[in-house]
Amino acid sequence: MKKIFYATLLTAGIAATGLTGCSSKKLEANKIPDAALGLSVRADGTLLLKGKPYRAVGVNYFNAFSRTLEPGAWNDTSYRKGFRYLKARSIPFVRFMCSGFWPVNFKLYQNNKDQYFKNLDAFVKAAEELEIGLIPSLFWNHSTIPDLLGEPVGQWGNKDSKTNAFMRQYVQEVVTRYKNSPAIWGWEFGNELNLVTDLPGDDANLPQIAVEVGTPPTRSKADKLSTQDLQVALTEFGKAVRLYDTNRIIVSGNANPRPSAYHLHTVKNWDKDSQEQYAEMLAIQNPGPVNTISIHHYPDNALAYFADFPASLKEIIRVTMEDAVKLKKPLFIGEFGAQEQILGTGVANKNYTELLDGIETYKVPLAAMWVFDYPPHDAENGINAGPDNGPREYMLQAIKELNERTWQSNN
C-alpha cells in the first residue's frame, strides 16, 4: 500500500537452504511434478493452478512471518490462528513480506541463520498443513538491500552490482529451499518499485533517511531509480528465479503505473497519461520474465486515470484486464481495499463493494485484499480485518462469497 511502510519498523526476512528435516536427496526423490506446484501461466496468458484455469481472491497477511523474528517472539505461531480463520472463510492464499524491511531487520538472518530458517520453515509447514497458498514478496522495501551493502539505491540498475549479487544469492536460498512445497504459489520481487521510478529532481523524492534502522545519513541522486533501473532489477530477479523454478508465476509487486508514469518516463513532467500510455507503461514496468501484470488498487485511483476519459474504480479494472489479456500476462491485483478511517465507513463499504464487483465482473484471475491481521492499520486508516476486528468481518465474508461463486462457476 502507498505511503505507509517507511514509518513502520519491522523485523522480517527470507529463507535460504533446505526444508526442515529433509535432505536435498530426499526432496529430489519425492519431487512433485512442476505442473502440480503453485500458479503458472499458459501460453495464452491464462492463470493455472495444478494445470487448470484458476481465479481467486486472497489477502495480504503482511507481517504474518516477520512478527516471528522480533526479539522474544521466535516462538510466535499466531499465524496458525490466522490461517485457520482464512481457511474457514474460503480464502485460499496470502501475500506476505518475506524479507527485512530495514537493514537492521536482517540481523537474525545475518547472525543466526539456523533460527531464521527454523521460523520460516515452521511458517511454510503451517501453510502446507492448512492448505493455504503463499506468495512471498522477497525485497519489500526497495532501498534495504543497497543500504545493507553500502551501495546507492540506484545500483538495482547495475546487473553486476553487489545489490544484484545479494539478490541472486537470496533467491537461490529461498527458491531452492521451498520449490517443492505445495504451499508456494509464486514469487514476487517487492512492493511498488514502480512508484519510486523516474521521479524528478536531483535532491527531491529521495528514499527516506532513518539512521537508527540502518539507512545512510545522507542521500543523493545516485539513490534514485529510473524505468531502466526497474527493468534491470525485475529482469535479473526473474532470470534468477527461473534458474531454480521453471513453473511458478513471477510477480513485480508493482502498483498501478502512476497517472503520469509515461510523462515522467519520457519528458519528466506530471502531465496525466492517456489510456494508451497507461497500457504502454504496464508492459514496460512488468518486463520479460515477469509473467504477470501487478497493480495495487485503492479508492484514490478513481478519477486519477486517464487524460482522455475519467475512469471509475471498476472501469480501471476493466481497462487493466484488457491490457493484461493483450500482453498474455494474467492480472494480479496484489492489493485492494478501502480505508474506513479516511473515507468514512459508508463510503469505504461502497468503494470496497465496487472493487470486488469489478474483480468479479471482469474475471480478474488473482487479487488480494489489504490487509489481514495487521493491527497498526486499525487506528492509522481503518483497513485491517482479522480475528480480533469484528466490525470489518464483512470484508472477509464478501471475499468468501465471491470465491465460492467463482469456484462453483468453474466446476
Side-chain angles (χ1 to χ4, degrees), residues 340-375:
E340 290 181 350
Q341 197 74 8
I342 295 170
L343 302 167
T345 301
V347 174
N349 195 332
K350 179 177 179 293
N351 287 160
Y352 188 79
T353 299
E354 182 180 356
L355 286 163
L356 280 179
D357 184 37
I359 289 166
E360 183 171 19
T361 298
Y362 300 114
K363 298 183 177 179
V364 173
L366 210 64
M369 182 207 74
W370 185 272
V371 59
F372 176 74
D373 192 19
Y374 184 55

Side-chain angles (χ1 to χ4, degrees), residues 139-313:
F139 305 102
W140 191 278
N141 182 11
H142 77 287
S143 62
T144 293
I145 302 307
D147 287 351
L148 187 69
L149 302 175
E151 287 192 323
V153 179
Q155 285 299 297
W156 276 118
N158 174 8
K159 67 180 182 179
D160 297 319
S161 66
K162 290 188 292 183
T163 294
N164 275 301
F166 185 96
M167 177 275 291
R168 294 184 191 100
Q169 172 193 325
Y170 226 25
V171 166
Q172 179 183 12
E173 292 173 342
V174 178
V175 177
T176 57
R177 190 177 189 90
Y178 298 112
K179 67 179 181 178
N180 291 328
S181 170
I184 302 296
W185 278 19
W187 307 103
E188 182 178 279
F189 175 81
N191 190 61
E192 300 182 346
L193 183 67
N194 64 323
L195 296 185
V196 298
T197 60
D198 299 326
L199 299 179
D202 288 349
D203 299 318
N205 301 303
L206 298 172
Q208 187 174 353
I209 294 171
V211 177
E212 67 277 11
V213 289
T215 76
T218 61
R219 297 288 194 188
S220 73
K221 64 181 181 180
D223 292 301
K224 302 189 75 170
L225 293 170
S226 66
T227 289
Q228 183 178 359
D229 296 330
L230 173 148
Q231 289 184 308
V232 170
L234 293 177
T235 298
E236 292 302 306
F237 172 74
K239 286 162 60 177
V241 169
R242 281 290 174 255
L243 287 175
Y244 314 106
D245 187 336
T246 60
N247 187 63
R248 289 183 181 87
I249 59 170
I250 298 174
V251 183
S252 66
N254 287 342
N256 309 56
R258 285 183 178 274
S260 303
Y262 179 85
H263 284 84
L264 287 167
H265 174 48
T266 56
V267 292
K268 304 300 181 189
N269 70 36
W270 292 96
D271 290 350
K272 188 179 290 190
D273 296 343
S274 68
Q275 181 182 337
E276 182 179 354
Q277 290 164 340
Y278 174 87
E280 184 171 344
M281 293 309 296
L282 277 174
I284 288 172
Q285 292 180 350
N286 294 274
V290 175
N291 62 350
T292 58
I293 297 296
S294 172
I295 67 168
H296 295 171
H297 200 29
Y298 292 96
D300 58 359
N301 287 338
L303 303 181
Y305 306 86
F306 302 96
D308 38 354
F309 79 95
S312 67
L313 286 175

Side-chain angles (χ1 to χ4, degrees), residues 35-36 38 40 42 48-53:
S40 60
R42 200 164 65 190
L48 305 175
L49 181 67
K50 297 181 180 179
K52 297 181 179 180

Side-chain angles (χ1 to χ4, degrees), residues 7-123:
T8 306
L9 307 185
L10 295 166
T11 305
I14 62 176
T17 61
L19 200 54
T20 311
C22 294
S23 70
S24 59
K25 289 182 179 179
K26 185 180 293 185
L27 284 175
E28 288 301 317
N30 298 316
K31 189 176 186 299
I32 301 169
D34 287 349
L37 290 168
L39 295 167
S40 60
V41 181
R42 200 164 65 190
D44 64 359
T46 300
L47 186 71
L48 305 175
L49 181 67
K50 297 181 180 179
K52 297 181 179 180
Y54 187 75
R55 290 165 48 209
V57 178
V59 298
N60 280 270
Y61 203 168
F62 169 64
N63 73 333
F65 167 63
S66 67
R67 66 180 61 167
T68 74
L69 305 177
E70 298 289 347
W74 292 351
N75 294 320
D76 183 348
T77 59
S78 57
Y79 52 79
R80 298 185 69 92
K81 176 183 177 182
F83 287 163
R84 288 193 297 269
Y85 198 84
L86 295 172
K87 185 73 174 178
R89 287 154 182 78
S90 301
I91 296 174
F93 78 94
V94 303
R95 172 182 180 250
F96 70 102
M97 183 173 68
C98 193
S99 64
F101 189 86
W102 297 109
V104 71
N105 301 138
F106 275 85
K107 282 186 176 180
L108 186 62
Y109 174 81
Q110 291 175 317
N111 299 333
N112 191 348
K113 274 192 177 184
D114 287 344
Q115 182 65 53
Y116 188 90
F117 296 160
K118 181 179 179 181
N119 290 8
L120 190 49
D121 287 345
F123 181 79

